[in-house]
Amino acid sequence: MNDAAQPKVRVATTSLAGCFGCHMSFLDIDERLFELLERIEFDRSPFTDIKHCGPCDVGLIEGGICNADNVHVLREFRKNCKILVAVGACAVNGGLPAQRNHIDLGECLEEVYVTEISLAKGCIPNDPELPLPLDKVHPLHEVVKIDYFLPGCPPTADAIWKFLTDLLAGRTPHLGHGLIHYD
Amino acid sequence: MGTHAELEAIVDRYSGESTALLQILREAQEIEGWLPPATLTCLARLLEMPRARVEGVAGFYSFLHIERAGRYRVLFSDNITDRMAGNSELLDRFCNSLWLERGKTSEDGLALVDTTSCTGMCDQGPAMLVNGWAIPQLTPARVDEVAELIRSHTPVEDWPAALFQIEDNIHRSDMLLDASLEPGAAIRAAATSGPLATLEAIQCSNLRGRGGAGFATGLKWQSCRNATGDMHYVVCNADEGEPGTFKDRVLLTRYADLVFEGMTVCAFVIGARKGFLYLRGEYRHLLAPLQEVLARRRSDGLLGNDICGQPGFEFDIDIHLGAGAYICGEESALIESLEGRRGIPRNRPPYPVTHGYLQQPTTVNNVETFCAAALIALRGGEWYAGIGTGKSTGTKVLSVSGDCVRPGIYEYPFGVTVRQVLEDCGAQRTQAVQISGPSGTCIDATEFERRIAFEDLPTAGAFMVFDESRDIFEVASNFVHFFAHESCGFCTPCRVGTTLLRNVIDKLHKGKGSQHDLNQIFKLSRLLQSASHCGLGHTACNPLLDTIKRFRPAYERRLESLEFEPAFDLDGALERARAMTGRDDAGAHLRTDE
Ligand SMILES: Cc1cc2nc3c(=O)[nH]c(=O)nc-3n(C[C@H](O)[C@H](O)[C@H](O)COP(=O)(O)O)c2cc1C
Ligand code: SF4
Ligand code: SF4
């Protein structure tokens, strides 16, 4: 079969309220990346620096939703991606950033920008350029419909590889034993 | 905290047994209305157990308070039947009149007001518990009276007895409720025919457990009798936590001798010397009367040594009071609780018949099962097998509540139709009946010819009636909240799953649901059914599945869209940040129609 004749699967990725650890784990598939690039091409992604997502087959999202901008980006992905995947604990559950959910947002901002001794003394930034934080950090599926969840912090390179190869082969992704670790 | 001497006296009364931890904590709480850290530390020392274990147990039971809880703890029963009778308005009225906020101990330490799961007063609701004592038939006047008593700091012991008056409301009796058994008659009959013949009678009666699962009682007794162990135990399950069920309360109020008689017969058959009655904390008011019955039976030679003159037949019964945990009705959790631990269900197998209380062979039966067993010992298995249907012999005591003229206790031979019960209790324009509580089945008007029997509609006794004026969604929502509240938290599928279900139902309640949320319910239900550790998780979805199937429009009219709706108000989630930054530009808002 002539692979070249098959159109490539278009993939977009982004990091919202995450640490880029999931993207790093993605890169950890190492030389398998070449194999993957035969089958896929990247749309909006830190790998391409394309600013806005166009029509895609798959969207991979790392990180949860902590501010208004995250909501806009997530909605853009949902509008354009046939399949949307929550990658990593932050996207699936809110993860580490959601630790702040126990603290009142007002107190949080006060402490960071006003009472804490820091370089920029003064006030809570209010420039309209800046996205406003939500009062709580939320997982992706509370804002848009998510089709698949890839757990782990981060999911291992093998797990990401297995997930993507299953998806490309038309199989329902199944990680199974050994690829999901919680400890 | 209670003084060292006070606590020591309590511990001594229980001979310093670690198995009595729950009882000790319950009594220690009576000193100050809560369990301060120093009390827990002191008890841990006296009992020579890790403090973490003491606090772990104290933290598990909802009637034990490890945070300051006030001199008066007032809990409004929050079953759907209490709701239908207006408990929310009464709770608000009560809070307003005492200037209290629900769920928060007042600053002067006077009172804590909150809700609790069904207290088993559904035929005379709405009800409340004050420091553990039940007050039924709440009206605005009664609620004001209670508020006044609290305002005047009157000790609960001095409150008018009329407040605590609880009715039996028996409206239909059959062979069990009609039985006037002379105390000791069944034991003497068993002693005359011997343990094996008595066991045979139980087997031949085809008696099945009345606690819900319907396990064959004869088989259970036989397995327990044959199991080897140092000691055998009899346990009567009077935890009766299933919302809408209150028949065990009436059996223990009016037929306590019959219950103890059945337990003693069981002890005779399986060779037990020790028995426990696990009484739910909500029935605190029954403790003293039951203890009196036990004392009388001891002095009549029906408990103790050489019972009924049978040399070597020795048996006695202790009452163990629960502390507000539905899960303790599950037999292995109940045994854990009896042993003075958190009520977390054990792995099964091994089953209690071989590894029960203190890992010894233990027979756990429901209150009503023991009553029936006593009658069988007296009158024979064949007589009993002749009543009811093929697979469900004997009678069933139903607890009828909700929309009907005569709520209360109804005993029928198995096989009675739902329609018959509805007629007898004076129910009109009935829309649905919840059989056997939230973990049971909800049926609609097309199914009223169905029969109460293990082969059709099995039940532990609850029969809650909803007429056409009711919104069935509210019923399901109440039950979903019940399970989320009562999940013991041991296994993740149920701990998280029941909370997710509650979130979905709350979202629907606000009219913010979508088809996606309904799909989510089905997904969660598969997960709960396949992955939960015990029956609570397995049945937690029943109310939703049953009502979505039969009353789908009640859900559909709460959908905002057919696709997807966010779980929270996106623009509202920016409100705090807007306030902190003083911004109100376009970028400081999130549109919901995108
Ligand atoms: C979550 C849960 C709650 C239960 N609650 C009760 C109860 O309140 N009373 C009861 O008799 N059985 C209850 N059961 C059933 C008991 O585990 C057990 O099957 C029963 O006590 C056995 O007695 P029986 O054979 O006489 O019915 C419950 C089971 C589960 C899973
Ligand atoms: S899941 Fe872990 S690795 Fe991935 S973004 Fe969150 S914190 Fe980073
Ligand atoms: S299913 Fe629920 S109640 Fe049962 S053990 Fe698990 S968490 Fe506890």
Side-chain angles (χ1 to χ4, degrees):
Chain A
M1 195 171 82
N2 183 1
D3 271 356
Q6 250 185 28
K8 285 192 173 179
V9 170
R10 225 173 147 74
V11 178
T13 80
T14 190
S15 173
L16 302 176
C19 74
F20 274 95
C22 289
H23 275 84
M24 298 308 287
S25 195
F26 187 8
L27 292 178
D28 272 346
I29 65 173
D30 295 332
E31 71 280 4
R32 286 172 287 183
L33 203 50
F34 295 111
E35 201 180 315
L36 190 65
L37 284 172
E38 311 252 302
R39 305 283 316 277
I40 71 161
E41 59 192 3
F42 284 110
D43 191 280
R44 170 175 177 166
S45 167
F47 307 134
T48 60
D49 221 20
I50 297 174
K51 297 290 183 234
H52 286 284
C53 187
C56 281
D57 299 293
V58 181
L60 303 175
I61 303 189
E62 146 189 334
I65 301 297
C66 79
N67 63 29
D69 185 57
N70 292 160
V71 175
H72 294 306
V73 176
L74 181 61
R75 282 174 168 171
E76 178 181 305
F77 269 65
R78 181 67 279 180
K79 220 173 264 167
N80 286 290
C81 303
K82 290 182 199 152
I83 296 173
L84 203 56
V85 187
V87 181
C90 298
V92 175
N93 292 321
L96 201 75
Q99 295 296 310
R100 81 150 153 94
N101 288 357
H102 303 286
I103 306 167
D104 171 64
L105 178 67
E107 282 172 33
C108 228
L109 294 173
E110 283 276 338
E111 170 140 6
V112 173
Y113 292 108
V114 185
T115 55
E116 180 76 350
I117 304 156
S118 62
L119 294 177
K121 245 301 178 216
C123 64
I124 298 167
N126 60 0
D127 191 314
E129 283 291 299
L130 297 170
L132 279 188
L134 299 171
D135 56 0
K136 297 238 173 353
V137 177
H138 292 266
L140 304 185
H141 68 265
E142 291 188 359
V143 179
V144 300
K145 178 170 173 287
I146 295 296
D147 303 303
Y148 295 97
F149 297 87
L150 182 49
C153 179
T156 59
D158 287 344
I160 295 173
W161 174 252
K162 174 75 163 59
F163 183 90
L164 289 176
T165 46
D166 276 353
L167 209 60
L168 291 173
R171 293 186 294 263
T172 303
H174 179 70
L175 295 187
H177 190 71
L179 289 177
I180 304 184
H181 282 284
Y182 296 107
D183 49 2
Chain B
M1 67 175 264
T3 63
H4 190 275
E6 277 174 305
L7 295 174
E8 200 165 24
I10 295 171
V11 171
D12 283 348
R13 215 169 323 126
Y14 289 96
S15 322
E17 293 282 356
S18 63
T19 48
L21 180 55
L22 175 53
Q23 305 306 302
I24 292 170
L25 286 168
R26 193 175 51 69
E27 291 195 18
Q29 174 162 288
E30 286 180 7
I31 301 173
E32 268 187 281
W34 68 297
L35 295 162
T39 297
L40 300 178
T41 307
C42 179
L43 288 177
R45 249 185 240 134
L46 288 168
L47 288 160
E48 292 174 18
M49 56 171 76
R51 189 183 182 286
R53 171 156 172 220
V54 178
E55 183 167 344
V57 172
F60 183 84
Y61 296 91
S62 65
F63 291 173
L64 296 180
H65 302 279
I66 50 178
E67 273 159 30
R68 204 177 146 87
R71 193 167 149 203
Y72 299 92
R73 279 92 55 209
V74 182
L75 298 174
F76 280 75
S77 177
D78 201 22
N79 186 26
I80 183 68
T81 52
D82 296 292
R83 291 257 177 109
M84 284 158 35
N87 73 338
S88 316
E89 293 75 23
L90 293 172
L91 189 146
D92 287 344
R93 181 188 182 98
F94 187 74
C95 284
N96 288 342
S97 85
L98 283 174
W99 292 83
L100 286 174
E101 199 181 329
R102 186 191 142 181
K104 289 212 178 109
T105 304
S106 59
E107 283 187 11
D108 55 4
L110 183 64
L112 169 69
V113 183
D114 212 333
T115 55
T116 187
S117 300
C118 177
T119 56
M121 300 289 160
C122 323
D123 57 336
Q124 46 204 298
M128 60 159 65
L129 296 172
V130 180
N131 294 356
W133 301 91
I135 301 181
Q137 292 181 4
L138 295 179
T139 55
R142 266 161 96 84
V143 160
D144 292 346
E145 185 181 355
V146 170
E148 191 46 47
L149 287 162
I150 290 179
R151 228 187 327 267
S152 61
H153 294 230
T154 313
V156 179
E157 304 87 86
D158 301 336
W159 290 16
L163 280 177
F164 304 96
Q165 179 66 36
I166 290 159
E167 303 299 331
D168 292 338
N169 292 333
I170 299 177
H171 296 303
R172 187 183 195 283
S173 55
D174 208 289
M175 119 265 175
L176 194 147
L177 299 178
D178 281 339
S180 54
L181 176 115
E182 182 205 333
I187 305 175
R188 276 189 289 275
T192 311
S193 38
L196 279 175
T198 307
L199 177 60
E200 179 135 345
I202 301 285
Q203 283 173 322
C204 134
S205 75
N206 283 326
L207 172 64
R208 295 171 67 168
R210 301 300 194 237
F215 192 81
T217 307
L219 183 58
K220 188 184 274 187
W221 289 19
Q222 185 186 35
S223 315
C224 189
R225 176 184 162 85
N226 293 343
T228 48
D230 306 329
M231 285 277 275
H232 284 56
Y233 294 96
V234 177
V235 174
C236 176
N237 188 342
D239 197 49
E240 191 158 67
E242 190 70 41
T245 320
F246 48 87
K247 47 108 189 160
D248 292 343
R249 161 171 59 76
V250 176
L251 290 173
L252 290 165
T253 309
R254 281 258 208 121
Y255 303 84
D257 270 299
L258 196 57
V259 180
F260 294 139
E261 192 96 1
M263 290 177 71
T264 313
V265 168
C266 176
F268 181 66
V269 169
I270 67 166
R273 278 184 293 167
K274 177 100 211 147
F276 296 99
L277 178 88
Y278 190 101
L279 183 66
R280 72 184 305 215
E282 289 81 348
Y283 296 165
R284 170 79 177 82
H285 65 280
L286 289 176
L287 183 61
L290 287 170
Q291 255 150 0
E292 274 167 36
V293 175
L294 287 177
R296 168 168 53 70
R297 291 180 69 89
R298 276 182 207 114
S299 65
D300 290 350
L302 301 176
L303 284 173
N305 298 324
D306 300 335
I307 294 172
C308 289
Q310 288 284 304
F313 180 21
E314 180 189 329
F315 181 64
D316 212 327
I317 297 172
D318 271 352
I319 302 177
H320 178 111
L321 201 59
Y326 165 65
I327 192 58
C328 288
E330 194 282 336
E331 58 185 11
S332 65
L334 183 150
I335 290 170
E336 286 286 302
S337 180
L338 271 182
E339 292 182 4
R341 275 194 264 275
R342 294 161 71 88
I344 288 173
R346 295 177 175 174
N347 286 337
R348 289 146 41 97
Y351 294 96
V353 283
T354 57
H355 295 77
Y357 184 66
L358 304 176
Q359 298 300 319
Q360 299 301 313
T362 304
T363 296
V364 183
N365 276 128
N366 175 254
V367 173
E368 190 183 346
T369 314
F370 281 121
C371 291
L375 294 180
I376 294 165
L378 186 67
R379 299 188 196 153
E382 271 157 38
W383 160 76
Y384 195 84
I387 307 165
T389 72
K391 286 192 180 139
S392 318
T393 58
T395 61
K396 184 74 195 97
V397 182
L398 299 178
S399 319
V400 178
S401 63
D403 295 313
C404 62
V405 184
R406 289 173 297 279
I409 297 292
Y410 292 76
E411 184 192 10
Y412 292 97
F414 270 113
V416 65
T417 61
V418 170
R419 184 176 308 286
Q420 182 70 52
V421 182
L422 288 172
E423 263 170 35
D424 292 350
C425 70
Q428 275 172 359
R429 298 184 307 113
T430 304
Q431 178 180 199
V433 181
Q434 184 76 28
I435 310 275
S436 202
S439 65
T441 318
C442 180
I443 62 168
D444 66 27
T446 64
E447 301 168 273
F448 292 167
E449 293 308 324
R450 292 182 66 180
R451 293 172 186 281
I452 302 290
F454 293 106
E455 50 269 56
D456 188 359
L457 287 169
T459 177
F463 190 103
M464 286 185 270
V465 184
F466 305 104
D467 72 19
E468 287 163 2
S469 71
R470 306 294 174 188
D471 182 348
I472 296 297
F473 179 88
E474 298 283 349
V475 176
S477 163
N478 180 269
F479 295 163
V480 167
H481 277 255
F482 166 76
F483 284 120
H485 179 71
E486 295 296 342
S487 165
C488 84
F490 171 71
C491 69
T492 313
C494 169
R495 180 183 65 248
V496 177
T498 52
T499 298
L500 291 178
L501 279 176
R502 189 190 61 199
N503 292 350
V504 172
I505 207 87
D506 287 350
K507 184 177 172 191
L508 288 166
H509 202 255
K510 285 188 228 140
K512 296 280 175 203
S514 68
Q515 185 60 43
H516 179 75
D517 295 305
L518 294 187
N519 299 345
Q520 221 42 34
I521 291 175
F522 292 109
K523 223 166 146 178
L524 282 167
S525 87
R526 278 194 297 278
L527 190 108
L528 275 157
Q529 275 163 10
S530 60
S532 296
H533 177 63
C534 85
L536 188 152
H538 297 149
T539 53
C541 281
N542 288 3
L544 285 171
L545 299 183
D546 280 358
T547 54
I548 292 179
K549 188 167 149 204
R550 293 174 173 84
F551 301 96
R552 204 177 174 97
Y555 289 81
E556 285 167 338
R557 69 164 176 267
R558 293 183 151 88
L559 301 188
E560 169 110 28
S561 84
L562 288 180
E563 278 142 30
F564 183 92
E565 287 298 318
F568 60 101
D569 171 9
L570 287 159
D571 191 52
L574 289 176
E575 184 53 45
R576 191 89 176 101
R578 277 194 296 268
M580 294 303 289
T581 56
R583 279 177 55 185
D584 199 22
D585 54 284
H589 287 275
L590 277 166
R591 292 165 55 126
T592 43
D593 52 359
E594 265 183 52

